Amino acid sequence: MLYFSLKMSELLVIAGVVIGVLMIFRIYVNGARCKSKAKLHGKTVIVTGSNTGIGRVTAVDLARRGARVILACRNQTRGQAAVDVVQRESGSKNVVYMQLDLASLKSVRSFTETFLKTERRLDILINNAGVYMQGTTEDGFGLMFGVNHLGHFLLTNLLLDRLKECAPSRIVTVSSYLHNHGNIDFDTLRTHKEFGVGESFWNVFRIYSHSKLCNVLFTHELAKRLQGTHVTCYSLHPGAINSDLARNLNKMSRRLLKGIAALFFKDVEAGAQTTLHCAVQEGIEALSGRYFSNCAVQKVKAKAQDDAVAKKLWEVSETLSGLS
């Protein structure tokens, strides 16, 4: 659970600032849509966290294009229900559920083992799932570091050979504009198995931002390691989305966010557009490793393209995930 440790007057000031920023932000990012008409018949796609939100909308679009879509989700009941929704809305029956709990490295390995045994192709991997809450993974890592970064890091690496076999192929990782507020402190990670501690509003905000910076740095380093393979990768900001990412916040937090979201956030269909752009848009191969927002490549700060930090994050992640 998350708890505010702020006075009501402070909350009102924060809300006012957030609303002002979001009004400007929405004007900037609300309109772009994926323009590609690419068809994906004979292709296979994995979308993590696709039982709800932008992940499910992404799955619907890709299924409409003819892809075989794997809904990789933690909860079997919700995952199976999502299969019905995606099949109905896309008009495609080539949609299946496979169990994947990114908070468990054992589950990630089990998923990839099953997938590689039962599926012949993998053309697009979409690392979409994410959490915004404190907690601990099965392996003792902070929940946001474990799910948002480490689980996807292991998943991607275990599937790389299949992606290379099916090249040209793509890896798309959903990050956030909040990566700009993140920092990578390896001493804190070594001590706490997370990039921060605490359950206050600001602590959770910062830790989430750190995990989103991991997504951008992971993609930056991955692109270097994939040179010459015809596998390309992209990270992205989907926009401020009116989804259920904040479903684990306390009641006061949810009420505050719900009012703001209704006025200023994108709906999930609009929020899926940059993911789709990175997954299917023709002609962006030369932009592998770059960060996208509003269906266009964006500049990032120096810390989001720091070669040394990205390389160290990769090496530390290899050790923590058991790859080395």
Side-chain angles (χ1 to χ4, degrees):
M1 294 291 291
L2 307 179
Y3 298 94
F4 276 118
S5 59
L6 301 172
K7 297 177 181 178
M8 182 57 67
S9 59
E10 294 174 316
L11 286 174
L12 291 174
V13 171
I14 292 169
V17 172
V18 169
I19 289 172
V21 170
L22 289 173
M23 288 179 70
I24 298 171
F25 189 70
R26 180 166 181 171
I27 291 171
Y28 174 67
V29 302
N30 199 43
R33 299 187 67 83
C34 176
K35 297 178 180 178
S36 174
K37 304 299 182 184
K39 298 299 181 183
L40 299 174
H41 299 287
K43 307 290 187 181
T44 298
V45 181
I46 293 173
V47 186
T48 68
S50 43
N51 63 294
T52 187
I54 63 174
R56 191 171 72 192
V57 172
T58 300
V60 169
D61 185 284
L62 297 173
R64 283 179 183 152
R65 295 173 186 265
R68 175 171 175 78
V69 180
I70 311 297
L71 306 187
C73 313
R74 178 180 60 84
N75 185 285
Q76 182 175 1
T77 301
R78 293 177 181 175
Q80 292 290 1
V83 168
D84 295 338
V85 173
V86 175
Q87 288 183 345
R88 182 176 67 251
E89 294 186 1
S90 68
S92 170
K93 295 297 183 182
N94 204 9
V95 180
V96 298
Y97 161 78
M98 290 182 62
Q99 201 276 338
L100 170 64
D101 182 359
L102 288 159
S104 164
L105 297 179
K106 179 180 178 181
S107 176
V108 174
R109 292 181 181 278
S110 176
F111 170 88
T112 54
E113 182 179 355
T114 300
F115 177 85
L116 293 172
K117 285 181 179 178
T118 59
E119 299 289 336
R120 295 183 299 107
R121 297 193 61 86
L122 178 57
D123 301 273
I124 304 172
L125 170 62
I126 300 180
N127 294 321
N128 166 80
V131 295
Y132 187 99
M133 64 177 294
Q134 283 290 55
T136 306
T137 72
E138 178 180 285
D139 306 282
F141 299 106
L143 192 62
M144 287 184 277
F145 171 70
V147 172
N148 298 352
H149 169 66
L150 194 62
H152 280 128
F153 174 87
L154 178 60
L155 176 71
T156 301
N157 275 279
L158 293 178
L159 294 172
L160 272 183
D161 285 345
R162 182 60 53 86
L163 285 158
K164 292 175 182 177
E165 291 170 6
C166 298
S169 53
R170 296 186 182 185
I171 301 163
V172 180
T173 299
V174 178
S175 180
S176 169
Y177 174 82
L178 295 181
H179 82 270
N180 287 298
H181 300 285
N183 288 289
I184 305 300
D185 184 336
F186 291 105
D187 290 335
T188 300
L189 179 62
R190 182 169 55 253
T191 303
H192 299 287
K193 292 190 174 183
E194 178 60 282
F195 282 118
V197 294
E199 296 194 353
S200 72
F201 175 88
W202 292 117
N203 285 332
V204 175
F205 175 87
R206 283 193 293 264
I207 295 168
Y208 179 78
S209 300
H210 302 331
S211 74
K212 295 289 98 178
L213 179 58
C214 288
N215 295 153
V216 180
L217 287 168
F218 164 58
T219 300
H220 179 76
E221 176 68 16
L222 178 61
K224 294 184 176 184
R225 294 171 182 258
L226 291 175
Q227 288 180 4
T229 65
H230 300 290
V231 182
T232 54
C233 58
Y234 315 90
S235 63
L236 67 99
H237 169 58
I241 308 301
N242 189 6
S243 71
D244 63 350
L245 178 64
R247 60 188 175 274
N248 297 301
L249 294 171
N250 65 49
K251 186 178 294 185
M252 175 185 284
S253 306
R254 290 198 307 271
R255 286 177 177 174
L256 178 62
L257 186 59
K258 184 177 180 180
I260 296 172
L263 289 171
F264 304 112
F265 285 18
K266 291 181 179 180
D267 61 27
V268 289
E269 182 179 357
Q273 297 306 306
T274 302
T275 299
L276 293 167
H277 176 86
C278 292
V280 302
Q281 182 63 47
E282 303 88 342
I284 65 170
E285 290 79 9
L287 298 173
S288 183
R290 300 289 297 278
Y291 170 81
F292 285 71
S293 178
N294 205 26
C295 296
V297 69
Q298 306 291 334
K299 293 181 179 179
V300 295
K301 295 180 179 180
K303 66 180 177 181
Q305 52 185 334
D306 187 311
D307 292 338
V309 174
K311 184 174 184 291
K312 184 172 181 179
L313 176 64
W314 185 284
E315 293 169 347
V316 169
S317 299
E318 278 186 323
T319 300
L320 295 178
S321 64
L323 283 175
S324 64

